[in-house]
Amino acid sequence: GPYFYIGGSNGAGLVSIYCQSRGWQRIYDNRREDYALKWCEIKCRETYYHFKEGDQLLYQIPNNGVLTSKIGLLCCLREQEQVMKKISRSTNSNFFWMHSSRGYKVYGGLFLSYLLEKSLIFQRFSTCISFSHRFLKMEEFFPESFRLDLKDERNAFFELHKEEQIWICKPSCSNQGRGICLLKNAAAVNTLQAELRGTEEYLHSKRVPYKAPRARIVQRYIHQPLLLEGKKFDVRSYLLIACTAPYVLFFGQGYVRLTCVDYDAASDDLTVHLTNQHMQKKNSLYSQLKDETVWRMENFNSYVNEKFRKNNGLPKDWVFTVFTV
């Protein structure tokens, strides 16, 4: 030992290389309980019955589908906004102090909807302190979204859609860009609507017990995104919650991911619209431009200092002092 077990393939190569470099030995029996690290995908569900806190690491959070699926995240954000609106109307405060036997604890944002039953929120607040921070509305940071597995929401989307709009359709539980498509015109939307209707009619004709259409969401596409050197990009950062009592957090600034080619809203090539590496590998230019599709945060910081700092009145090293703090 120490021993480590890997279930599934997501990140398996990186984990295995690191553990072996530390002298750890890989085991292949999922039933063994003497592991130091167990790395499992959601589909390889694990229990905590024999988990030894403080001695073992288990990469899986119970009920993690709540935040790791697109529909789960959407529902959490909607619930959070509803709760915060109720509290905001009552107190005009975004952060709250709660009395407990250990003193006062501060809660805010997403934690609130999980830690408190909505019916008890107003009963259990003993002290509320207003802050000047404005509550960020969901519409300000999250594109308009509809669930296609719910009849009312998908009907609302089909009624709302207009010819000149672009929408993006995504499976709820998938990765690497699989199953994503752009809805750029009425024909594409009509095809999607017919597909969903056909599935429902087939299940009904076969007298199959009711089953909702495949879980997908549609979101209003941001067709004029912020670009980096003319290309779409995103930032992948890492946050590890190592302990919750007390809170111990580790943050990794991560890196920037860019597309191979310049952005063109009219393009039907998904490698123009999706920034993940699995999708970029499908572009014919990837082998030539691979190193340019990933930037270290130091490079991104230098770029912002040079291109935007003076004209936009940004502080020096804005990426490290504001953006990733």
Side-chain angles (χ1 to χ4, degrees):
Y3 302 107
F4 69 96
Y5 171 85
I6 296 177
S9 59
N10 192 9
L14 292 174
V15 174
S16 180
I17 291 173
Y18 176 79
C19 289
Q20 290 176 351
S21 71
R22 307 286 294 182
W24 292 22
Q25 300 178 45
R26 182 171 180 175
I27 57 177
Y28 296 88
D29 186 352
N30 186 38
R31 296 167 296 180
R32 286 183 58 166
E33 301 174 9
D34 58 341
Y35 62 86
L37 168 67
K38 179 172 282 191
W39 181 275
C40 302
E41 294 181 357
I42 294 178
K43 61 185 178 183
C44 305
R45 193 163 300 282
E46 182 56 54
T47 68
Y48 281 77
Y49 293 139
H50 304 290
F51 177 70
K52 301 179 182 65
E53 186 174 359
D55 295 327
Q56 295 178 316
L57 293 172
L58 177 56
Y59 179 70
Q60 191 170 93
I61 303 173
N63 203 28
N64 57 6
V66 171
L67 288 177
T68 57
S69 69
K70 297 176 182 65
I71 285 180
L73 177 60
L74 175 61
C75 291
C76 286
L77 290 173
R78 286 176 173 176
E79 180 183 357
Q80 178 209 5
E81 183 165 63
Q82 290 174 358
V83 173
M84 296 304 290
K85 281 181 178 179
K86 289 181 180 179
I87 297 173
S88 180
R89 285 195 296 266
S90 175
T91 65
N92 292 321
S93 176
N94 294 329
F95 290 83
F96 308 92
W97 294 88
M98 291 185 59
H99 180 70
S100 71
S101 59
R102 298 181 181 179
Y104 288 89
K105 299 180 180 180
V106 63
Y107 294 97
L110 188 60
F111 294 111
L112 194 59
S113 59
Y114 286 102
L115 297 175
L116 303 175
E117 289 291 333
K118 289 191 287 290
S119 61
L120 298 178
I121 287 176
F122 299 105
Q123 301 174 27
R124 296 180 60 184
F125 283 131
S126 59
T127 304
C128 295
I129 302 177
S130 294
F131 285 75
S132 60
H133 301 292
R134 183 176 64 86
F135 171 55
L136 191 62
K137 297 179 181 179
M138 186 173 168
E139 63 189 31
E140 296 179 87
F141 67 90
F142 200 81
E144 186 176 10
S145 305
F146 296 89
R147 292 178 55 176
L148 294 183
D149 60 319
L150 299 180
K151 185 176 181 179
D152 289 345
E153 287 203 30
R154 65 174 178 269
N155 287 343
F157 164 68
F158 291 129
E159 292 177 5
L160 173 70
H161 176 267
K162 296 180 180 179
E163 176 66 30
E164 67 275 8
Q165 298 174 343
I166 302 177
W167 294 76
I168 186 167
C169 181
K170 308 174 184 178
S172 178
C173 300
S174 188
N175 59 4
Q176 299 181 335
R178 288 186 291 240
I180 294 179
C181 64
L182 292 178
L183 305 174
K184 303 177 68 174
N185 50 51
V189 174
N190 292 338
T191 299
L192 174 63
Q193 188 174 20
E195 176 187 336
L196 295 174
R197 186 183 298 116
T199 300
E200 286 185 322
E201 292 175 352
Y202 173 79
L203 294 175
H204 180 73
S205 66
K206 295 296 182 180
R207 297 184 179 180
V208 177
Y210 176 75
K211 182 179 180 181
R214 188 162 61 115
R216 288 185 283 188
I217 66 171
V218 286
Q219 295 180 302
R220 189 181 294 276
Y221 189 59
I222 302 174
H223 66 282
Q224 292 182 318
L226 181 65
L227 302 177
L228 194 58
E229 293 287 272
K231 301 175 176 62
K232 282 194 70 172
F233 74 99
D234 67 22
V235 175
R236 170 164 286 192
S237 297
Y238 299 90
L239 177 67
L240 171 65
I241 304 175
C243 182
T244 58
Y247 276 111
V248 178
L249 310 177
F250 294 92
F251 176 72
Q253 292 169 333
Y255 53 92
V256 179
R257 305 186 300 182
L258 301 89
T259 58
C260 290
V261 296
D262 288 354
Y263 175 70
D264 177 8
S267 175
D268 293 325
D269 182 0
L270 283 180
T271 66
V272 173
H273 301 276
L274 305 181
T275 57
N276 68 72
Q277 286 290 294
H278 184 82
M279 183 61 65
Q280 291 307 306
K281 290 178 181 178
K282 298 180 180 180
N283 190 290
S284 59
L285 298 175
Y286 180 75
S287 59
Q288 305 172 37
L289 304 174
K290 178 180 178 180
D291 293 340
E292 299 177 25
T293 62
V294 178
W295 284 15
R296 297 177 60 189
M297 294 304 285
E298 290 80 3
N299 296 350
F300 184 40
N301 183 61
S302 298
Y303 181 86
V304 172
N305 280 340
E306 179 183 349
K307 301 288 186 179
F308 301 108
R309 181 189 171 196
K310 182 179 292 186
N311 292 339
N312 293 275
L314 299 177
K316 184 180 180 181
D317 297 330
W318 174 84
V319 169
F320 292 135
T321 59
V322 178
F323 182 64
T324 58
V325 173

